[in-house]
Amino acid sequence: MLEKIQETAAFLKDKMHTHPETAIILGTGLGSLVHEITDAYEISYKDIPNFPVSTVEGHSGKLIFGKLGDKDIMAMQGRFHFYEGYSMKEVTFPVRVMRELGIKTLFVSNAAGGMNPDFSIGDLMIITDHINFFPEHPLRGKNIDYGPRFPDMSEAYSKALIAKAIEIAKEKNIKVQQGIYIGTQGPTFETPAEYKMFRILGADAVGMSTVPEVIVANHCGIKVFGISVITDLGLEGKIVEVSHEEVQKAADAAQPKMTTIMCELINRS
Ligand code: HPA
């Protein structure tokens, strides 16, 4: 495992002429951030040794290096989901490679169903914490020496970055919610009973990604900031049929707000 990570990192280092300490996973709602990247150069996942290749609609697979403002960044366009059939090791492989490349902070986005009664479709939710509801843990197995066998998760999402993001949202007059994201395997959306269960468990929003990458980032000592775009509601009386297309549509509508917050935050951090 470690050899593979190091082999991939060595391949990338050889191609890189920048030294980013900031990485972004361009999940749903953040696709248009690529247009803000200057001096960009790209490497397709298919050309990177040991990298899984992404398959899901709306996600094309490549690493994009360049600048956001005056900050060197590395962006993942396309992520790997557990529901696609990838193992947890594959889902989180790129985060471990990031660690080898010297990444210190990771920014993530996703689409999620809202269970908090104060939420509306199109809201942005700054992730303050998560619940891991995936059936397999990404750190299961031999511990890689990037971090301890039993990693602390008391601040999985950087409090300092959350505070800065709230400040930015205020300045820019963008409404943001805050809440707990529960990560589940999918690919089904929730039944009404499942949404209710997740609410009882203490979550504000549910989605099918992010938690594995965030766990591994924490294990590697990478700080994390995440935002969910609320694309549908899992609230009794408000539950309607959901489709991937509708999720995408709601996420696209919220995209400019999400991009503004992320870009500002990355520049100020
Ligand atoms: N559930 C799970 N994943 C999701 C949802 C949802 O309601 N909306 C967007 N991603």
Side-chain angles (χ1 to χ4, degrees):
M1 179 72 177
L2 189 57
E3 294 85 73
K4 275 193 172 170
I5 298 164
Q6 285 168 344
E7 183 193 8
T8 304
F11 170 88
L12 291 171
K13 276 183 194 163
D14 200 45
K15 302 248 179 294
M16 288 164 63
H17 54 264
T18 50
H19 303 283
E21 294 190 354
T22 302
I24 311 159
I25 300 178
L26 300 171
T28 311
L30 213 51
S32 67
L33 190 137
V34 291
H35 306 306
E36 311 293 323
I37 304 174
T38 55
D39 303 325
Y41 59 101
E42 305 177 347
I43 307 172
S44 283
Y45 292 169
K46 63 176 168 35
D47 298 327
I48 305 174
N50 309 318
F51 236 63
V53 174
S54 75
T55 58
V56 93
E57 199 185 322
H59 297 264
S60 60
K62 59 187 173 192
L63 293 182
I64 306 167
F65 299 89
K67 281 188 181 303
L68 211 52
D70 51 17
K71 248 215 168 104
D72 280 343
I73 58 104
M74 159 186 184
M76 274 182 76
Q77 191 177 57
R79 63 144 60 103
F80 307 104
H81 299 89
F82 190 67
Y83 63 75
E84 293 176 89
Y86 298 110
S87 69
M88 277 299 182
K89 296 274 176 298
E90 290 172 313
V91 170
T92 57
F93 184 80
V95 179
R96 290 185 158 135
V97 172
M98 285 173 193
R99 194 263 186 201
E100 285 287 328
L101 296 178
I103 295 298
K104 304 277 186 278
T105 315
L106 174 65
F107 295 83
V108 295
S109 78
N110 59 52
M115 283 115 34
N116 182 320
D118 296 335
F119 288 5
S120 309
I121 291 178
D123 277 357
L124 299 181
M125 183 190 87
I126 292 174
I127 305 174
T128 55
D129 203 352
H130 76 216
I131 298 172
N132 178 15
F133 208 75
F134 281 88
E136 190 190 311
H137 200 285
L139 299 178
R140 179 169 183 265
K142 189 174 181 295
N143 186 46
I144 295 183
D145 227 8
Y146 289 161
R149 169 74 293 188
F150 302 106
D152 171 66
M153 289 292 283
S154 61
E155 195 182 328
Y157 299 81
S158 158
K159 286 198 172 90
L161 289 172
I162 292 169
K164 256 187 217 169
I166 291 167
E167 212 177 277
I168 290 165
K170 257 194 206 131
E171 259 175 55
K172 305 267 174 196
N173 235 331
I174 297 171
K175 177 186 164 199
V176 283
Q177 307 277 11
Q178 296 176 55
I180 296 168
Y181 176 90
I182 188 163
T184 183
Q185 65 176 315
T188 43
F189 293 111
E190 284 61 40
T191 62
E194 287 164 346
Y195 282 123
K196 193 171 175 183
M197 170 185 73
F198 287 150
R199 181 67 185 153
I200 291 167
L201 289 181
D204 296 286
V206 55
M208 306 173 197
S209 67
T210 305
V211 167
E213 294 106 310
V214 171
I215 289 172
V216 169
N218 272 271
H219 182 245
C220 291
I222 297 174
K223 276 188 294 186
V224 176
F225 175 80
I227 301 190
S228 297
V229 48
I230 305 301
T231 56
D232 52 277
L233 295 173
L235 282 161
E236 225 165 337
K238 290 194 183 167
I239 296 172
V240 292
E241 202 177 311
V242 200
S243 69
H244 179 63
E245 289 68 33
E246 279 167 284
V247 164
Q248 202 71 48
K249 215 170 113 192
D252 287 347
Q255 189 145 267
K257 294 188 292 182
M258 174 97 101
T259 306
T260 300
I261 293 178
M262 282 289 193
C263 285
E264 276 296 317
L265 185 60
I266 289 166
N267 257 298
R268 292 187 203 181
S269 55

